Amino acid sequence: MPVIESTYKPPFWARKSFVSTVFSGLARKVKGVEQTRERIILEDTDFLDLDWSYAKQKSNKVIILLHGLEGRAQRPYITGAAKLFNENNIDACAVNFRSCSGEPNLLFRSYHSGATEDLDAVVQHVLSKGQYDEIYIKGISLGANMVLKYVGEGRALPTELKSVIAVSSPCDLKGSCGELLSLKNKHYAIRFLGHLKDKLKPKLEQFPNDISMADFNAIKTLKDFDDIYTSKAHGFKDALDYYEKSSCSQFLPNIKIPALIINALNDSFLSSGCYPVKEAKENPNVYLEMPKYGGHVGFIQKGKVYYNEQRALEFVNKC
């Protein structure tokens, strides 16, 4: 049964979810990662910026790294993984989702939890280089949901794609949104919403036929944002339709390559539906690890390498 008993033991001070989440997001520093940016043009004429970092010697292995909501390729949970994999002779391609690389994207649409067409474009681009025999993907939070959906949708996956890792995955987007809207997560929700609205504001002038100031002013919560913008910009009826169609939980039974999910039991962003025990027990390719501690992407341990990064490398080496 691929429900894994976790060995993660954080320092005493990092046991609380809030402490581990906030420290890892705001205080952690990762040094020594040199990134080189590459821009790729997508089929719809928009672009993605990829930030590459490389092993010291030429490698035939690469890990694609996907950030979370309002993240970017310079977040420490991305650069920490990139550094560890580079040190172990694996190149890293850190993806900036549309509008997340420091430059607004060109279209009215942007990125969302289920936008696997963009991930597929990155995979195909990496393959086109003709250098990599082994490809791995690690997603964090929103990026974790995306990669699990990607490998479970039934597309023909390239043989080079060997395994994936999903950390702090909101497998049930509706449930996760409900948690974010709860009082205990109010400070996180306000921060996320502020960043999202800042990016949306310029689109009012660019695309006046698609969104109005009245629409913008009506956005008071993250669910409002998904009702008014995310769903409409990406072809969904409303937020609930977006959550239903984009949640990765429904795709887990179809995963045919090794997939590791690491979701902490004290992650305040995750609802009960984000712990897919049944799916892991029924699909030998889905490995579910549920540490008691860790918060949301906060798997602090002694030393500079985080537990989820160590586990990702171990999983890649085993598969």
Side-chain angles (χ1 to χ4, degrees):
M1 296 286 191
V3 175
I4 301 168
E5 184 174 345
S6 182
T7 60
Y8 174 55
K9 293 181 180 179
F12 180 79
W13 61 269
R15 289 185 176 184
K16 287 188 178 296
S17 176
F18 177 80
V19 173
S20 60
T21 301
V22 172
F23 179 90
S24 300
L26 299 180
R28 185 187 184 191
K29 306 295 181 186
V30 177
K31 298 180 180 179
V33 180
E34 294 185 11
Q35 293 177 319
T36 302
R37 178 157 293 184
E38 178 186 22
R39 176 164 294 186
I40 63 172
I41 305 301
L42 302 169
E43 281 191 7
D44 61 8
T45 72
D46 213 345
F47 66 90
L48 288 177
D49 286 331
L50 312 178
D51 289 329
W52 289 83
S53 59
Y54 300 98
K56 289 184 178 179
Q57 298 179 338
K58 187 174 182 179
S59 176
N60 67 337
K61 301 178 183 180
V62 63
I63 186 163
I64 297 171
L65 301 171
L66 309 176
H67 62 74
L69 183 65
E70 285 305 280
R72 62 185 190 280
Q74 286 69 49
R75 292 299 299 272
Y77 60 72
I78 296 292
T79 55
K83 183 176 183 179
L84 179 63
F85 276 81
N86 292 164
E87 289 172 347
N88 285 271
N89 202 39
I90 300 174
D91 293 345
C93 173
V95 180
N96 296 278
F97 295 137
R98 303 189 196 212
S99 80
C100 294
S101 65
E103 183 177 335
N105 70 305
L106 303 178
L107 304 182
F108 182 60
R109 67 155 294 174
S110 182
Y111 71 99
H112 65 84
S113 298
T116 51
E117 67 277 10
D118 285 0
L119 175 53
D120 190 54
V122 173
V123 172
Q124 297 306 320
H125 175 72
V126 170
L127 283 170
S128 73
K129 293 180 176 292
Q131 179 179 339
Y132 299 109
D133 301 322
E134 296 182 21
I135 297 175
Y136 310 95
I137 308 174
K138 181 185 180 188
I140 300 291
S141 194
L142 178 149
N145 181 83
M146 184 187 293
V147 69
L148 293 172
K149 178 174 180 280
Y150 175 74
V151 294
E153 286 178 313
R155 63 170 41 83
L157 297 173
T159 57
E160 292 88 349
L161 182 57
K162 303 302 183 182
S163 63
V164 301
I165 303 98
V167 177
S168 300
S169 177
C171 301
D172 172 10
L173 293 173
K174 179 183 176 183
S176 183
C177 181
E179 293 299 316
L180 276 170
L181 293 177
S182 65
L183 185 60
K184 65 182 178 182
N185 287 316
K186 184 177 180 180
H187 44 287
Y188 298 121
I190 290 172
R191 184 179 177 88
F192 282 136
L193 185 61
H195 288 308
L196 289 165
K197 290 187 74 173
D198 285 345
K199 284 185 180 176
L200 181 57
K201 200 166 187 178
K203 293 186 186 291
L204 296 173
E205 293 185 12
Q206 289 178 279
F207 306 98
N209 295 328
D210 295 307
I211 188 167
S212 67
M213 182 58 74
D215 293 329
F216 183 84
N217 290 335
I219 299 174
K220 306 297 183 185
T221 68
L222 289 170
K223 183 176 179 295
D224 292 340
F225 185 88
D226 290 335
D227 266 321
I228 291 169
Y229 173 68
T230 309
S231 59
K232 301 300 187 292
H234 301 96
F236 303 101
K237 289 185 292 186
D238 53 25
L240 294 181
D241 185 49
Y242 158 52
Y243 300 151
E244 179 182 347
K245 291 178 178 174
S246 298
S247 293
C248 71
S249 56
Q250 64 198 298
F251 301 103
L252 299 181
N254 303 322
I255 292 178
K256 293 179 171 59
I257 65 171
L260 172 64
I261 303 171
I262 305 176
N263 280 1
L265 291 173
N266 72 339
D267 188 333
S268 68
F269 291 20
L270 302 185
S271 65
S272 59
C274 296
Y275 299 92
V277 174
K278 178 176 180 290
E279 291 83 352
K281 287 182 176 180
E282 294 179 353
N283 186 343
N285 294 308
V286 176
Y287 297 78
L288 175 62
E289 181 174 345
M290 299 177 289
K292 184 177 180 180
Y293 306 107
H296 194 72
V297 201
F299 297 93
I300 302 165
Q301 64 180 4
K302 187 177 180 180
K304 295 182 179 180
V305 175
Y306 272 37
Y307 178 77
N308 70 89
E309 296 158 2
Q310 170 195 319
R311 286 288 294 119
L313 182 63
E314 291 171 354
F315 192 70
V316 160
N317 287 334
K318 188 190 297 185
C319 295

